[in-house]
Amino acid sequence: MPSFAALPGFRDFYPPDFTVRSHIQNAWRETARRYGYEEYDGPPLEPLELYTEKSGDEIVRQLYNFVDKGERAVALRPEMTPTFARMVGARAGGMRKPIRWFSIPQLFRYERTQRGRLREHFQWNVDLVGETDVSADAEVLAVGLDGLRALGLTADDIVARVNDRRLLDALLQQQGLSAVQRMAAYGVIDKLGREKRDESLRRFRMEAGLDEATAQIVLGMVESGDLSALENRHGSEAVSGHIDRLRRYLDTLRDLGLGDFVRFDPTIVRGLAYYTGIVFEIFDRKGELRAICGGGRYDALLSTVSDVDLPACGFGMGDVVLAELLKERKLLPETKARLDYYIVAVSDAERPLQRQLAQVLRGRGRTVSYGFGAAGVGKQFKDADARGAARVVVLGPDEVKQDVAVIKEMATGTELRVNLSRLLKGEEPA
């Protein structure tokens, strides 16, 4: 017999793994709905051009793409935002603004597998369309942070590092960098902290064409995490306007009770080509893992995939890194199977009653199971324990004749005799 295994970078979700996945996704859904966001989905297969035209070079290099039987160039979705933009663009005229949508798609990228990064993952996408005010940007980040708080994470565990690409662009223009040089500089800035300072200076010179003095100034600017110091040293009318916007953004997050979760970081630029304004990434405080979440404002994307020109902001949060962090913080849910009731039939005569009672309890929303075929009482109790039953209902011939069922609390061993007729009518013991 051939031996088949999951492809590298892909996961099998056994019941305990699926419990973790559901726990994370349930927190995401509940948080998004509390903020008034509606859930949507799109196709996992899209025209290749949607990504080659709209996404960054890194994602395009990682595509799972092929020519289908209709001779169409297609790709498995590596991200959701282009699909979202296409869908909103198709019906934006008839929708109330701002539009608040979220989704939890499975995404596919052919990349090197490592801790926190696979070739497929589920991602929480949250987007807000039709609003330019900075409070919209703040709300989007608040949704992401509250989704993590719902999973038990605190400001001691996570931090959102925020920046504004317009501010960074103004600072770089002030130093005389051309549009081409600025794009090259973004690539260097995006890797700061992951390489030595001397290497970053070398790359500013070689890749962005900066002289030594300008490279030192640019590096000093993006190493500063203090808005006031940045304004005092490099302030101009354009720069100060962007700093004021960022301050209003941070003030709004403080109003939402999230100030302790956020800090300004000029090195956050985001790699995707379509971000145009405030951007952010959420990390674990210890800095041991990859980014948990990334997002920001992308005001030009909708117009590139549709006839609609609307401002937008949003984020994507993957489940792989997040599950790693929850595991480290001991915040994963109990994955052992649990039942409210297991029903034991002492003899074959009680089996019809066993099935009837199971359906009554299930109708009341309880989780119920029992064994199939003939089995001794001891074996049935072992099965109940293995399946995590909280209570075992014993139906014996003598007790049934007396209209009685015996309920055993598995945690304490306490036994309770209850009226069987009332139990069959849906009346449960306290």
Side-chain angles (χ1 to χ4, degrees), residues 27-28 31-32 35 37 124 126 137-151 153 158 160 253 258 261 280 282 292-294 314-317 322:
W28 287 347
T31 301
Y35 277 81
Y37 286 71
W124 185 26
V126 171
D137 300 76
E139 178 179 285
V140 163
L141 177 52
V143 174
L145 289 171
D146 274 345
L148 294 171
R149 292 171 73 195
L151 291 163
L153 295 166
I158 55 173
L253 287 162
L258 297 168
F261 287 84
F280 64 86
I282 302 176
I292 304 164
C293 172
F315 70 76
M317 180 184 299
L322 178 53

PDB file of all heavy atoms in Angstrom, residues 27-28 31-32 35 37 124 126 137-151 153 158 160 253 258 261 280 282 292-294 314-317 322:
ATOM      1  N   ALA A  27     -13.198  33.596  18.449  1.00  0.00           N
ATOM      2  CA  ALA A  27     -12.851  34.886  19.059  1.00  0.00           C
ATOM      3  C   ALA A  27     -12.799  35.978  17.997  1.00  0.00           C
ATOM      4  O   ALA A  27     -13.269  37.111  18.218  1.00  0.00           O
ATOM      5  CB  ALA A  27     -11.510  34.779  19.783  1.00  0.00           C
ATOM      6  N   TRP A  28     -12.228  35.661  16.835  1.00  0.00           N
ATOM      7  CA  TRP A  28     -12.178  36.622  15.743  1.00  0.00           C
ATOM      8  C   TRP A  28     -13.586  37.047  15.316  1.00  0.00           C
ATOM      9  O   TRP A  28     -13.875  38.236  15.173  1.00  0.00           O
ATOM     10  CB  TRP A  28     -11.446  36.015  14.548  1.00  0.00           C
ATOM     11  CG  TRP A  28      -9.963  35.887  14.720  1.00  0.00           C
ATOM     12  CD1 TRP A  28      -9.182  36.455  15.684  1.00  0.00           C
ATOM     13  CD2 TRP A  28      -9.081  35.140  13.874  1.00  0.00           C
ATOM     14  NE1 TRP A  28      -7.867  36.111  15.483  1.00  0.00           N
ATOM     15  CE2 TRP A  28      -7.764  35.305  14.389  1.00  0.00           C
ATOM     16  CE3 TRP A  28      -9.252  34.346  12.742  1.00  0.00           C
ATOM     17  CZ2 TRP A  28      -6.655  34.716  13.792  1.00  0.00           C
ATOM     18  CZ3 TRP A  28      -8.150  33.750  12.149  1.00  0.00           C
ATOM     19  CH2 TRP A  28      -6.856  33.932  12.670  1.00  0.00           C
ATOM     20  N   THR A  31     -15.507  39.155  17.968  1.00  0.00           N
ATOM     21  CA  THR A  31     -14.961  40.512  18.084  1.00  0.00           C
ATOM     22  C   THR A  31     -15.404  41.372  16.912  1.00  0.00           C
ATOM     23  O   THR A  31     -15.861  42.512  17.097  1.00  0.00           O
ATOM     24  CB  THR A  31     -13.426  40.470  18.157  1.00  0.00           C
ATOM     25  OG1 THR A  31     -13.022  39.678  19.279  1.00  0.00           O
ATOM     26  CG2 THR A  31     -12.851  41.872  18.297  1.00  0.00           C
ATOM     27  N   ALA A  32     -15.273  40.844  15.693  1.00  0.00           N
ATOM     28  CA  ALA A  32     -15.668  41.616  14.505  1.00  0.00           C
ATOM     29  C   ALA A  32     -17.143  41.985  14.556  1.00  0.00           C
ATOM     30  O   ALA A  32     -17.525  43.119  14.232  1.00  0.00           O
ATOM     31  CB  ALA A  32     -15.360  40.811  13.240  1.00  0.00           C
ATOM     32  N   TYR A  35     -18.101  44.912  16.739  1.00  0.00           N
ATOM     33  CA  TYR A  35     -17.812  46.210  16.126  1.00  0.00           C
ATOM     34  C   TYR A  35     -18.723  46.500  14.935  1.00  0.00           C
ATOM     35  O   TYR A  35     -18.563  47.524  14.275  1.00  0.00           O
ATOM     36  CB  TYR A  35     -16.354  46.260  15.669  1.00  0.00           C
ATOM     37  CG  TYR A  35     -15.366  46.627  16.756  1.00  0.00           C
ATOM     38  CD1 TYR A  35     -14.918  45.688  17.670  1.00  0.00           C
ATOM     39  CD2 TYR A  35     -14.858  47.927  16.859  1.00  0.00           C
ATOM     40  CE1 TYR A  35     -13.989  46.019  18.662  1.00  0.00           C
ATOM     41  CE2 TYR A  35     -13.936  48.266  17.835  1.00  0.00           C
ATOM     42  CZ  TYR A  35     -13.510  47.304  18.732  1.00  0.00           C
ATOM     43  OH  TYR A  35     -12.600  47.646  19.707  1.00  0.00           O
ATOM     44  N   TYR A  37     -19.083  44.529  12.101  1.00  0.00           N
ATOM     45  CA  TYR A  37     -18.566  44.059  10.812  1.00  0.00           C
ATOM     46  C   TYR A  37     -19.337  42.825  10.354  1.00  0.00           C
ATOM     47  O   TYR A  37     -19.730  41.980  11.164  1.00  0.00           O
ATOM     48  CB  TYR A  37     -17.067  43.740  10.919  1.00  0.00           C
ATOM     49  CG  TYR A  37     -16.207  44.981  10.980  1.00  0.00           C
ATOM     50  CD1 TYR A  37     -16.210  45.787  12.123  1.00  0.00           C
ATOM     51  CD2 TYR A  37     -15.433  45.379   9.900  1.00  0.00           C
ATOM     52  CE1 TYR A  37     -15.447  46.946  12.190  1.00  0.00           C
ATOM     53  CE2 TYR A  37     -14.652  46.529   9.961  1.00  0.00           C
ATOM     54  CZ  TYR A  37     -14.674  47.315  11.107  1.00  0.00           C
ATOM     55  OH  TYR A  37     -13.917  48.458  11.162  1.00  0.00           O
ATOM     56  N   TRP A 124      -7.523  36.171   9.431  1.00  0.00           N
ATOM     57  CA  TRP A 124      -8.634  37.062   9.758  1.00  0.00           C
ATOM     58  C   TRP A 124      -8.412  38.369   9.016  1.00  0.00           C
ATOM     59  O   TRP A 124      -7.450  39.077   9.277  1.00  0.00           O
ATOM     60  CB  TRP A 124      -8.656  37.286  11.253  1.00  0.00           C
ATOM     61  CG  TRP A 124      -9.805  38.075  11.788  1.00  0.00           C
ATOM     62  CD1 TRP A 124     -11.050  38.204  11.250  1.00  0.00           C
ATOM     63  CD2 TRP A 124      -9.806  38.851  12.996  1.00  0.00           C
ATOM     64  NE1 TRP A 124     -11.829  38.998  12.051  1.00  0.00           N
ATOM     65  CE2 TRP A 124     -11.100  39.413  13.127  1.00  0.00           C
ATOM     66  CE3 TRP A 124      -8.848  39.107  13.980  1.00  0.00           C
ATOM     67  CZ2 TRP A 124     -11.447  40.214  14.208  1.00  0.00           C
ATOM     68  CZ3 TRP A 124      -9.192  39.905  15.053  1.00  0.00           C
ATOM     69  CH2 TRP A 124     -10.480  40.452  15.165  1.00  0.00           C
ATOM     70  N   VAL A 126     -10.003  42.044   8.148  1.00  0.00           N
ATOM     71  CA  VAL A 126     -10.970  43.051   8.578  1.00  0.00           C
ATOM     72  C   VAL A 126     -10.717  44.309   7.756  1.00  0.00           C
ATOM     73  O   VAL A 126      -9.584  44.789   7.691  1.00  0.00           O
ATOM     74  CB  VAL A 126     -10.833  43.340  10.085  1.00  0.00           C
ATOM     75  CG1 VAL A 126     -11.691  44.531  10.485  1.00  0.00           C
ATOM     76  CG2 VAL A 126     -11.219  42.114  10.905  1.00  0.00           C
ATOM     77  N   ASP A 137      -8.993  54.424  10.838  1.00  0.00           N
ATOM     78  CA  ASP A 137      -7.743  53.672  10.959  1.00  0.00           C
ATOM     79  C   ASP A 137      -7.602  53.118  12.378  1.00  0.00           C
ATOM     80  O   ASP A 137      -7.189  51.973  12.572  1.00  0.00           O
ATOM     81  CB  ASP A 137      -6.548  54.579  10.648  1.00  0.00           C
ATOM     82  CG  ASP A 137      -6.579  55.149   9.253  1.00  0.00           C
ATOM     83  OD1 ASP A 137      -7.358  56.086   9.014  1.00  0.00           O
ATOM     84  OD2 ASP A 137      -5.820  54.673   8.395  1.00  0.00           O
ATOM     85  N   ALA A 138      -7.943  53.953  13.358  1.00  0.00           N
ATOM     86  CA  ALA A 138      -7.832  53.519  14.752  1.00  0.00           C
ATOM     87  C   ALA A 138      -8.803  52.392  15.061  1.00  0.00           C
ATOM     88  O   ALA A 138      -8.461  51.443  15.778  1.00  0.00           O
ATOM     89  CB  ALA A 138      -8.087  54.703  15.684  1.00  0.00           C
ATOM     90  N   GLU A 139     -10.024  52.473  14.513  1.00  0.00           N
ATOM     91  CA  GLU A 139     -10.997  51.410  14.772  1.00  0.00           C
ATOM     92  C   GLU A 139     -10.507  50.066  14.243  1.00  0.00           C
ATOM     93  O   GLU A 139     -10.654  49.030  14.899  1.00  0.00           O
ATOM     94  CB  GLU A 139     -12.347  51.735  14.146  1.00  0.00           C
ATOM     95  CG  GLU A 139     -13.370  50.607  14.371  1.00  0.00           C
ATOM     96  CD  GLU A 139     -14.729  50.910  13.793  1.00  0.00           C
ATOM     97  OE1 GLU A 139     -15.447  51.728  14.392  1.00  0.00           O
ATOM     98  OE2 GLU A 139     -15.089  50.315  12.744  1.00  0.00           O
ATOM     99  N   VAL A 140      -9.930  50.080  13.062  1.00  0.00           N
ATOM    100  CA  VAL A 140      -9.448  48.824  12.473  1.00  0.00           C
ATOM    101  C   VAL A 140      -8.405  48.177  13.381  1.00  0.00           C
ATOM    102  O   VAL A 140      -8.461  46.967  13.652  1.00  0.00           O
ATOM    103  CB  VAL A 140      -8.883  49.091  11.058  1.00  0.00           C
ATOM    104  CG1 VAL A 140      -8.016  47.923  10.590  1.00  0.00           C
ATOM    105  CG2 VAL A 140     -10.029  49.317  10.077  1.00  0.00           C
ATOM    106  N   LEU A 141      -7.447  48.959  13.866  1.00  0.00           N
ATOM    107  CA  LEU A 141      -6.450  48.389  14.775  1.00  0.00           C
ATOM    108  C   LEU A 141      -7.112  47.943  16.080  1.00  0.00           C
ATOM    109  O   LEU A 141      -6.736  46.901  16.653  1.00  0.00           O
ATOM    110  CB  LEU A 141      -5.346  49.405  15.059  1.00  0.00           C
ATOM    111  CG  LEU A 141      -4.267  48.967  16.059  1.00  0.00           C
ATOM    112  CD1 LEU A 141      -3.653  47.617  15.684  1.00  0.00           C
ATOM    113  CD2 LEU A 141      -3.181  50.026  16.179  1.00  0.00           C
ATOM    114  N   ALA A 142      -8.102  48.697  16.556  1.00  0.00           N
ATOM    115  CA  ALA A 142      -8.795  48.324  17.789  1.00  0.00           C
ATOM    116  C   ALA A 142      -9.473  46.961  17.651  1.00  0.00           C
ATOM    117  O   ALA A 142      -9.457  46.151  18.586  1.00  0.00           O
ATOM    118  CB  ALA A 142      -9.826  49.391  18.154  1.00  0.00           C
ATOM    119  N   VAL A 143     -10.060  46.692  16.490  1.00  0.00           N
ATOM    120  CA  VAL A 143     -10.678  45.381  16.258  1.00  0.00           C
ATOM    121  C   VAL A 143      -9.633  44.279  16.404  1.00  0.00           C
ATOM    122  O   VAL A 143      -9.849  43.270  17.073  1.00  0.00           O
ATOM    123  CB  VAL A 143     -11.337  45.316  14.868  1.00  0.00           C
ATOM    124  CG1 VAL A 143     -11.857  43.906  14.583  1.00  0.00           C
ATOM    125  CG2 VAL A 143     -12.483  46.311  14.752  1.00  0.00           C
ATOM    126  N   GLY A 144      -8.467  44.470  15.774  1.00  0.00           N
ATOM    127  CA  GLY A 144      -7.410  43.468  15.849  1.00  0.00           C
ATOM    128  C   GLY A 144      -6.927  43.241  17.269  1.00  0.00           C
ATOM    129  O   GLY A 144      -6.763  42.101  17.717  1.00  0.00           O
ATOM    130  N   LEU A 145      -6.695  44.328  17.996  1.00  0.00           N
ATOM    131  CA  LEU A 145      -6.224  44.202  19.374  1.00  0.00           C
ATOM    132  C   LEU A 145      -7.275  43.556  20.269  1.00  0.00           C
ATOM    133  O   LEU A 145      -6.960  42.712  21.118  1.00  0.00           O
ATOM    134  CB  LEU A 145      -5.834  45.576  19.915  1.00  0.00           C
ATOM    135  CG  LEU A 145      -4.558  46.183  19.320  1.00  0.00           C
ATOM    136  CD1 LEU A 145      -4.397  47.635  19.756  1.00  0.00           C
ATOM    137  CD2 LEU A 145      -3.329  45.369  19.709  1.00  0.00           C
ATOM    138  N   ASP A 146      -8.544  43.923  20.080  1.00  0.00           N
ATOM    139  CA  ASP A 146      -9.594  43.316  20.898  1.00  0.00           C
ATOM    140  C   ASP A 146      -9.785  41.839  20.569  1.00  0.00           C
ATOM    141  O   ASP A 146     -10.152  41.046  21.435  1.00  0.00           O
ATOM    142  CB  ASP A 146     -10.906  44.079  20.744  1.00  0.00           C
ATOM    143  CG  ASP A 146     -11.008  45.254  21.703  1.00  0.00           C
ATOM    144  OD1 ASP A 146     -10.202  45.304  22.654  1.00  0.00           O
ATOM    145  OD2 ASP A 146     -11.880  46.111  21.525  1.00  0.00           O
ATOM    146  N   GLY A 147      -9.535  41.461  19.313  1.00  0.00           N
ATOM    147  CA  GLY A 147      -9.581  40.047  18.964  1.00  0.00           C
ATOM    148  C   GLY A 147      -8.520  39.256  19.706  1.00  0.00           C
ATOM    149  O   GLY A 147      -8.757  38.111  20.121  1.00  0.00           O
ATOM    150  N   LEU A 148      -7.362  39.856  19.908  1.00  0.00           N
ATOM    151  CA  LEU A 148      -6.289  39.204  20.661  1.00  0.00           C
ATOM    152  C   LEU A 148      -6.574  39.228  22.157  1.00  0.00           C
ATOM    153  O   LEU A 148      -6.278  38.270  22.876  1.00  0.00           O
ATOM    154  CB  LEU A 148      -4.958  39.893  20.358  1.00  0.00           C
ATOM    155  CG  LEU A 148      -4.477  39.741  18.907  1.00  0.00           C
ATOM    156  CD1 LEU A 148      -3.267  40.629  18.642  1.00  0.00           C
ATOM    157  CD2 LEU A 148      -4.159  38.296  18.583  1.00  0.00           C
ATOM    158  N   ARG A 149      -7.178  40.313  22.628  1.00  0.00           N
ATOM    159  CA  ARG A 149      -7.560  40.370  24.040  1.00  0.00           C
ATOM    160  C   ARG A 149      -8.613  39.308  24.357  1.00  0.00           C
ATOM    161  O   ARG A 149      -8.617  38.738  25.453  1.00  0.00           O
ATOM    162  CB  ARG A 149      -8.100  41.757  24.377  1.00  0.00           C
ATOM    163  CG  ARG A 149      -7.048  42.866  24.339  1.00  0.00           C
ATOM    164  CD  ARG A 149      -7.691  44.231  24.473  1.00  0.00           C
ATOM    165  NE  ARG A 149      -8.157  44.472  25.833  1.00  0.00           N
ATOM    166  CZ  ARG A 149      -8.992  45.439  26.153  1.00  0.00           C
ATOM    167  NH1 ARG A 149      -9.482  46.253  25.228  1.00  0.00           N
ATOM    168  NH2 ARG A 149      -9.351  45.617  27.411  1.00  0.00           N
ATOM    169  N   ALA A 150      -9.502  39.042  23.416  1.00  0.00           N
ATOM    170  CA  ALA A 150     -10.530  38.021  23.617  1.00  0.00           C
ATOM    171  C   ALA A 150      -9.924  36.640  23.802  1.00  0.00           C
ATOM    172  O   ALA A 150     -10.559  35.746  24.374  1.00  0.00           O
ATOM    173  CB  ALA A 150     -11.501  38.021  22.433  1.00  0.00           C
ATOM    174  N   LEU A 151      -8.704  36.450  23.323  1.00  0.00           N
ATOM    175  CA  LEU A 151      -7.995  35.176  23.464  1.00  0.00           C
ATOM    176  C   LEU A 151      -7.122  35.151  24.717  1.00  0.00           C
ATOM    177  O   LEU A 151      -6.400  34.183  24.950  1.00  0.00           O
ATOM    178  CB  LEU A 151      -7.151  34.912  22.223  1.00  0.00           C
ATOM    179  CG  LEU A 151      -7.958  34.622  20.946  1.00  0.00           C
ATOM    180  CD1 LEU A 151      -7.094  34.774  19.708  1.00  0.00           C
ATOM    181  CD2 LEU A 151      -8.569  33.219  21.004  1.00  0.00           C
ATOM    182  N   LEU A 153      -4.764  37.585  25.648  1.00  0.00           N
ATOM    183  CA  LEU A 153      -3.502  38.317  25.570  1.00  0.00           C
ATOM    184  C   LEU A 153      -3.665  39.724  26.120  1.00  0.00           C
ATOM    185  O   LEU A 153      -4.709  40.355  25.954  1.00  0.00           O
ATOM    186  CB  LEU A 153      -3.013  38.364  24.121  1.00  0.00           C
ATOM    187  CG  LEU A 153      -2.638  36.989  23.530  1.00  0.00           C
ATOM    188  CD1 LEU A 153      -2.495  37.083  22.014  1.00  0.00           C
ATOM    189  CD2 LEU A 153      -1.355  36.459  24.164  1.00  0.00           C
ATOM    190  N   ILE A 158       1.597  41.608  23.960  1.00  0.00           N
ATOM    191  CA  ILE A 158       1.611  42.061  22.564  1.00  0.00           C
ATOM    192  C   ILE A 158       1.759  43.572  22.485  1.00  0.00           C
ATOM    193  O   ILE A 158       1.422  44.301  23.419  1.00  0.00           O
ATOM    194  CB  ILE A 158       0.321  41.647  21.826  1.00  0.00           C
ATOM    195  CG1 ILE A 158      -0.920  42.141  22.580  1.00  0.00           C
ATOM    196  CG2 ILE A 158       0.284  40.144  21.593  1.00  0.00           C
ATOM    197  CD1 ILE A 158      -2.221  41.916  21.834  1.00  0.00           C
ATOM    198  N   ALA A 160       1.361  46.776  19.298  1.00  0.00           N
ATOM    199  CA  ALA A 160       1.149  47.209  17.913  1.00  0.00           C
ATOM    200  C   ALA A 160       2.132  48.330  17.610  1.00  0.00           C
ATOM    201  O   ALA A 160       2.109  49.379  18.261  1.00  0.00           O
ATOM    202  CB  ALA A 160      -0.286  47.672  17.719  1.00  0.00           C
ATOM    203  N   LEU A 253      -6.896  55.797  19.924  1.00  0.00           N
ATOM    204  CA  LEU A 253      -6.669  54.469  20.506  1.00  0.00           C
ATOM    205  C   LEU A 253      -6.623  54.537  22.028  1.00  0.00           C
ATOM    206  O   LEU A 253      -7.106  53.617  22.707  1.00  0.00           O
ATOM    207  CB  LEU A 253      -5.379  53.868  19.942  1.00  0.00           C
ATOM    208  CG  LEU A 253      -5.489  53.402  18.479  1.00  0.00           C
ATOM    209  CD1 LEU A 253      -4.120  53.237  17.856  1.00  0.00           C
ATOM    210  CD2 LEU A 253      -6.282  52.098  18.391  1.00  0.00           C
ATOM    211  N   LEU A 258      -6.818  51.476  24.606  1.00  0.00           N
ATOM    212  CA  LEU A 258      -5.798  50.607  24.023  1.00  0.00           C
ATOM    213  C   LEU A 258      -4.425  51.275  23.948  1.00  0.00           C
ATOM    214  O   LEU A 258      -3.527  50.781  23.257  1.00  0.00           O
ATOM    215  CB  LEU A 258      -6.245  50.149  22.626  1.00  0.00           C
ATOM    216  CG  LEU A 258      -7.526  49.312  22.601  1.00  0.00           C
ATOM    217  CD1 LEU A 258      -8.035  49.159  21.176  1.00  0.00           C
ATOM    218  CD2 LEU A 258      -7.288  47.952  23.239  1.00  0.00           C
ATOM    219  N   PHE A 261      -1.210  49.299  24.388  1.00  0.00           N
ATOM    220  CA  PHE A 261      -0.901  48.272  23.394  1.00  0.00           C
ATOM    221  C   PHE A 261      -0.157  48.830  22.179  1.00  0.00           C
ATOM    222  O   PHE A 261       0.234  48.067  21.302  1.00  0.00           O
ATOM    223  CB  PHE A 261      -2.200  47.627  22.885  1.00  0.00           C
ATOM    224  CG  PHE A 261      -2.866  46.707  23.861  1.00  0.00           C
ATOM    225  CD1 PHE A 261      -3.711  47.207  24.835  1.00  0.00           C
ATOM    226  CD2 PHE A 261      -2.654  45.336  23.808  1.00  0.00           C
ATOM    227  CE1 PHE A 261      -4.351  46.368  25.738  1.00  0.00           C
ATOM    228  CE2 PHE A 261      -3.285  44.487  24.703  1.00  0.00           C
ATOM    229  CZ  PHE A 261      -4.131  44.998  25.672  1.00  0.00           C
ATOM    230  N   PHE A 280       0.569  49.335  10.365  1.00  0.00           N
ATOM    231  CA  PHE A 280       0.907  48.779  11.674  1.00  0.00           C
ATOM    232  C   PHE A 280       1.211  47.296  11.565  1.00  0.00           C
ATOM    233  O   PHE A 280       0.780  46.620  10.622  1.00  0.00           O
ATOM    234  CB  PHE A 280      -0.234  49.007  12.679  1.00  0.00           C
ATOM    235  CG  PHE A 280      -1.512  48.296  12.326  1.00  0.00           C
ATOM    236  CD1 PHE A 280      -1.739  46.977  12.696  1.00  0.00           C
ATOM    237  CD2 PHE A 280      -2.511  48.964  11.629  1.00  0.00           C
ATOM    238  CE1 PHE A 280      -2.917  46.325  12.368  1.00  0.00           C
ATOM    239  CE2 PHE A 280      -3.697  48.320  11.302  1.00  0.00           C
ATOM    240  CZ  PHE A 280      -3.898  47.000  11.675  1.00  0.00           C
ATOM    241  N   ILE A 282       1.511  43.938  14.551  1.00  0.00           N
ATOM    242  CA  ILE A 282       1.396  43.537  15.948  1.00  0.00           C
ATOM    243  C   ILE A 282       2.380  42.404  16.210  1.00  0.00           C
ATOM    244  O   ILE A 282       2.411  41.416  15.466  1.00  0.00           O
ATOM    245  CB  ILE A 282      -0.046  43.083  16.289  1.00  0.00           C
ATOM    246  CG1 ILE A 282      -1.046  44.216  15.991  1.00  0.00           C
ATOM    247  CG2 ILE A 282      -0.141  42.669  17.760  1.00  0.00           C
ATOM    248  CD1 ILE A 282      -2.498  43.827  16.215  1.00  0.00           C
ATOM    249  N   ILE A 292       2.331  39.001  14.213  1.00  0.00           N
ATOM    250  CA  ILE A 292       1.059  38.305  14.347  1.00  0.00           C
ATOM    251  C   ILE A 292       0.045  38.865  13.360  1.00  0.00           C
ATOM    252  O   ILE A 292      -0.833  38.145  12.870  1.00  0.00           O
ATOM    253  CB  ILE A 292       0.506  38.480  15.782  1.00  0.00           C
ATOM    254  CG1 ILE A 292       1.517  37.990  16.809  1.00  0.00           C
ATOM    255  CG2 ILE A 292      -0.831  37.772  15.958  1.00  0.00           C
ATOM    256  CD1 ILE A 292       1.220  38.474  18.220  1.00  0.00           C
ATOM    257  N   CYS A 293       0.161  40.156  13.072  1.00  0.00           N
ATOM    258  CA  CYS A 293      -0.863  40.853  12.293  1.00  0.00           C
ATOM    259  C   CYS A 293      -0.210  42.024  11.587  1.00  0.00           C
ATOM    260  O   CYS A 293       0.767  42.596  12.087  1.00  0.00           O
ATOM    261  CB  CYS A 293      -1.971  41.334  13.243  1.00  0.00           C
ATOM    262  SG  CYS A 293      -3.223  42.409  12.520  1.00  0.00           S
ATOM    263  N   GLY A 294      -0.724  42.384  10.431  1.00  0.00           N
ATOM    264  CA  GLY A 294      -0.232  43.559   9.722  1.00  0.00           C
ATOM    265  C   GLY A 294      -1.346  44.189   8.914  1.00  0.00           C
ATOM    266  O   GLY A 294      -2.239  43.496   8.413  1.00  0.00           O
ATOM    267  N   GLY A 314      -7.477  48.292   6.500  1.00  0.00           N
ATOM    268  CA  GLY A 314      -7.780  46.952   7.000  1.00  0.00           C
ATOM    269  C   GLY A 314      -6.532  46.238   7.451  1.00  0.00           C
ATOM    270  O   GLY A 314      -5.429  46.790   7.448  1.00  0.00           O
ATOM    271  N   PHE A 315      -6.718  44.964   7.856  1.00  0.00           N
ATOM    272  CA  PHE A 315      -5.573  44.166   8.297  1.00  0.00           C
ATOM    273  C   PHE A 315      -5.806  42.694   8.001  1.00  0.00           C
ATOM    274  O   PHE A 315      -6.916  42.251   7.718  1.00  0.00           O
ATOM    275  CB  PHE A 315      -5.305  44.359   9.796  1.00  0.00           C
ATOM    276  CG  PHE A 315      -6.338  43.764  10.724  1.00  0.00           C
ATOM    277  CD1 PHE A 315      -6.402  42.388  10.965  1.00  0.00           C
ATOM    278  CD2 PHE A 315      -7.243  44.575  11.385  1.00  0.00           C
ATOM    279  CE1 PHE A 315      -7.338  41.839  11.822  1.00  0.00           C
ATOM    280  CE2 PHE A 315      -8.193  44.044  12.251  1.00  0.00           C
ATOM    281  CZ  PHE A 315      -8.236  42.661  12.467  1.00  0.00           C
ATOM    282  N   GLY A 316      -4.710  41.934   8.083  1.00  0.00           N
ATOM    283  CA  GLY A 316      -4.756  40.476   8.029  1.00  0.00           C
ATOM    284  C   GLY A 316      -4.013  39.908   9.228  1.00  0.00           C
ATOM    285  O   GLY A 316      -2.927  40.381   9.564  1.00  0.00           O
ATOM    286  N   MET A 317      -4.611  38.909   9.894  1.00  0.00           N
ATOM    287  CA  MET A 317      -4.001  38.276  11.058  1.00  0.00           C
ATOM    288  C   MET A 317      -4.022  36.755  10.847  1.00  0.00           C
ATOM    289  O   MET A 317      -5.079  36.160  10.710  1.00  0.00           O
ATOM    290  CB  MET A 317      -4.774  38.630  12.335  1.00  0.00           C
ATOM    291  CG  MET A 317      -4.202  38.017  13.609  1.00  0.00           C
ATOM    292  SD  MET A 317      -5.209  38.355  15.087  1.00  0.00           S
ATOM    293  CE  MET A 317      -5.150  40.134  15.171  1.00  0.00           C
ATOM    294  N   LEU A 322      -0.075  33.162  15.729  1.00  0.00           N
ATOM    295  CA  LEU A 322      -0.936  33.402  16.892  1.00  0.00           C
ATOM    296  C   LEU A 322      -1.062  32.146  17.752  1.00  0.00           C
ATOM    297  O   LEU A 322      -0.986  32.220  18.992  1.00  0.00           O
ATOM    298  CB  LEU A 322      -2.315  33.869  16.426  1.00  0.00           C
ATOM    299  CG  LEU A 322      -3.355  34.116  17.520  1.00  0.00           C
ATOM    300  CD1 LEU A 322      -2.820  35.060  18.590  1.00  0.00           C
ATOM    301  CD2 LEU A 322      -4.634  34.666  16.909  1.00  0.00           C
TER     302      LEU A 322
END
